[in-house]
Amino acid sequence: MSWMSGVTCRVREWQAQRARWKADMERFKTEQRAARKSGGRMPENPGPPPTGFALLPWLLMGMGAFSNIFQGKTPNPWIGGVGLLAFNSLYIYVTFRAFVKEKRESRSTRVALAVMGLLTCGLAIGYGGSWLYFFPLLGLATGAVLRGPWLGQIGLGVTALAAVVSFFRAGWDAVNVAYGTFLSTMVTAAILSLSEAVRELRAAREELARRAVEKERLRFSRDLHDLLGHTLSVIVVKSEAARRLAHRDLDAALVQVTDIESVGRQALTEIREAVTGYREGSLATELDRARSALSAAGVEPLVRQSGTPLVPQTEALLGWVVREAVTNVVRHSGATRCDITVDGTPERISLTVTDNGPGASIPDPVSIPGPASAPAPAPAFTAAGSAPPSAPAPALGTGGTGLKGLTERLATAGGSLSAGPTAGGGFRVRAELPVDSGDLAEATDLRRTPGFPGTRAGRVARLT
């Protein structure tokens, strides 16, 4: 009864895996429909669960031997029938254990594979003909189980064995059997190894994402605790002091209330700074937001991204360029199409945002290179090719300093920003950055940007 319980457990495990796969597929289809409507990134197809059922259809290669037994063309049919049943049982046992690493590397699986090889040789030598096609099945089981540095040598050994036995029984037809054995061994091992690597990488990526979320939550909770713990304690103490002094010394109580107001304002500013740093998104996030904003404005977005992975500081700078350029396209260009291209080499990364609009109000060409000895002049903003240089600058970005602030920050990081109309009409913004630079952290610190709420000037403007 032990083998019956084992089969029952396998069937239940397979049913559970299939139920999880169906749930994953339903979630995938839902996310896919949502991504198509919003124009966002398409989710990955989870694919079917890895089980031995994928290798069962290859047993149809043994139908010729079964047909010979059934039609009475095989001498000693009882021996052939028992051999066929034993071979199929060993094949199912080995292939189902091949998808679990611990079971695949166990001694029992290797012994079953060796017995399967001896049985294949015995049936092929004894009967020949269609029984020789058990060698490709043996190669398939070998490739499913033996993955690693010894696979090539063992695969060649199984191929040579198939060639010798087949040549003894079928002459030069042994070439086809040997070729099929070698091909089934190597292709099966390659496909299963690749699929296993993909599953492991996907699981590792999900684990890294989960750990990153937990780390960020811990950081944010720690920041809030550090910001609010002392501040709220001071507010409570001063409130108690103001309550005690209110009925006998009103001036002293008002001093305490003023201190409470000052502490509260300072805490509000610090919390805003912490939340701003917490909400900074990656380049991929900004590209998704750009797609959504352009689609909502009736502009067709086309995003292309290639190159090496970027450090977070570089992604943050390019994300701000995408945000500013797309905002200008939506507000000022009147375009129907916007191309966003991210491309790079191991040394430098470039971002280009190009639209095809006439540009009702766009900036004149701007180009501020990397770090220079003298500050670059502020760009003059004019109506597209019509207004004179002395025309008043339209509001661009935040307070008319969007592109200017970006060029200064890119220059700090050793990059450059250029913006201007294209030859065929439309407007183009191009940013270039080194892939890695020591000044990126300073360039991506928003609190160094004039007018940012975290600066002293920004606090005065917001709190007074």
Side-chain angles (χ1 to χ4, degrees):
M1 294 298 293
S2 60
W3 66 275
M4 284 295 296
S5 61
V7 171
T8 304
C9 292
R10 292 289 178 83
V11 172
R12 290 177 179 175
E13 181 180 356
W14 174 75
Q15 291 176 345
Q17 289 180 350
R18 187 163 183 82
R20 288 195 296 268
W21 174 64
K22 288 183 177 180
D24 292 340
M25 285 301 297
E26 291 295 331
R27 183 169 60 253
F28 164 72
K29 291 178 181 179
T30 302
E31 294 177 354
Q32 188 180 45
R33 288 192 294 267
R36 287 175 178 173
K37 292 180 180 179
S38 62
R41 180 177 299 178
M42 298 297 291
E44 293 184 4
N45 192 326
T51 62
F53 286 96
L55 302 180
L56 288 185
W58 294 103
L59 283 176
L60 294 175
M61 295 179 65
M63 288 299 295
F66 177 79
S67 176
N68 291 339
I69 295 175
F70 185 76
Q71 295 176 4
K73 298 180 180 180
T74 302
N76 300 319
W78 287 106
I79 297 178
V82 172
L84 181 61
L85 178 61
F87 179 88
N88 290 341
S89 301
L90 288 172
Y91 177 86
I92 293 173
Y93 176 80
V94 169
T95 53
F96 269 83
R97 293 174 68 88
F99 288 89
V100 181
K101 186 176 182 180
E102 293 77 12
K103 296 180 179 179
R104 181 174 68 240
E105 297 177 352
S106 65
R107 178 174 297 179
S108 60
T109 304
R110 305 296 174 89
V111 171
L113 183 63
V115 173
M116 184 179 172
L118 295 176
L119 182 60
T120 303
C121 291
L123 293 174
I125 293 174
Y127 294 107
S130 58
W131 296 82
L132 297 174
Y133 291 106
F134 284 176
F135 277 109
L137 290 175
L138 175 63
L140 192 148
T142 302
V145 173
L146 300 177
R147 309 176 202 170
W150 293 97
L151 174 63
Q153 300 179 12
I154 296 176
L156 291 176
V158 174
T159 303
L161 179 63
V164 172
V165 174
S166 300
F167 185 79
F168 173 76
R169 291 293 305 185
W172 290 106
D173 287 343
V175 175
N176 297 329
V177 177
Y179 176 73
T181 303
F182 179 78
L183 195 64
S184 62
T185 303
M186 296 305 173
V187 171
T188 302
I191 292 177
L192 295 184
S193 298
L194 181 60
S195 62
E196 185 176 9
V198 169
R199 291 194 301 271
E200 291 177 354
L201 289 174
R202 184 177 296 174
R205 184 180 61 183
E206 293 176 355
E207 178 66 18
L208 290 175
R210 184 185 63 81
R211 291 185 180 183
V213 171
E214 291 180 354
K215 183 178 179 180
E216 187 62 17
R217 287 176 177 172
L218 179 62
R219 183 199 71 81
F220 190 57
S221 62
R222 183 174 60 247
D223 290 349
L224 285 181
H225 177 271
D226 294 341
L227 289 173
L228 296 179
H230 175 72
T231 302
L232 293 180
S233 299
V234 172
I235 290 176
V236 170
V237 171
K238 288 187 172 292
S239 299
E240 293 176 350
R243 177 174 54 81
R244 291 194 303 268
L245 295 173
H247 65 281
R248 53 190 176 89
D249 192 346
L250 185 59
D251 293 336
L254 290 177
V255 171
Q256 298 296 330
V257 172
T258 303
D259 291 342
I260 293 173
E261 181 182 4
S262 176
V263 172
R265 289 180 181 275
Q266 180 64 28
L268 180 61
T269 300
E270 293 175 348
I271 290 174
R272 282 172 177 160
E273 293 177 4
V275 171
T276 300
Y278 178 76
R279 295 179 61 187
E280 282 186 354
S282 63
L283 178 60
T285 302
E286 292 299 333
L287 291 175
D288 290 339
R289 292 175 180 172
R291 288 191 188 96
S292 178
L294 291 169
S295 299
V299 181
E300 179 186 1
L302 180 59
V303 179
R304 292 183 293 268
Q305 186 173 2
S306 62
T308 58
L310 305 178
V311 297
Q313 293 85 352
T314 303
E315 285 204 3
L317 276 175
L318 294 180
W320 281 101
V321 175
V322 170
R323 181 182 301 183
E324 178 65 24
V326 170
T327 301
N328 293 335
V329 171
V330 173
R331 290 182 179 178
H332 311 298
S333 69
T336 59
R337 177 187 175 93
C338 180
D339 296 344
I340 304 175
T341 303
V342 182
D343 192 11
T345 64
E347 292 78 23
R348 294 186 71 82
I349 187 75
S350 63
L351 167 69
T352 305
V353 181
T354 308
D355 64 77
N356 63 348
S361 180
I362 57 177
D364 275 346
V366 177
S367 180
I368 296 184
S373 57
F381 300 96
T382 67
S386 59
S390 60
L396 182 65
T398 303
T401 61
L403 292 179
K404 179 181 178 181
L406 285 176
T407 52
E408 293 173 352
R409 291 167 63 185
L410 289 173
T412 302
S416 62
L417 180 74
S418 60
T422 61
F427 196 80
R428 179 173 59 197
V429 176
R430 179 177 177 84
E432 290 189 1
L433 273 173
V435 173
D436 191 9
S437 173
D439 296 330
L440 284 174
E442 180 179 355
T444 53
D445 189 356
L446 299 182
R447 290 172 291 182
R448 300 178 183 270
T449 304
F452 182 73
T455 61
R456 182 175 299 276
R459 288 197 296 267
V460 172
R462 295 179 67 90
L463 299 178
T464 57

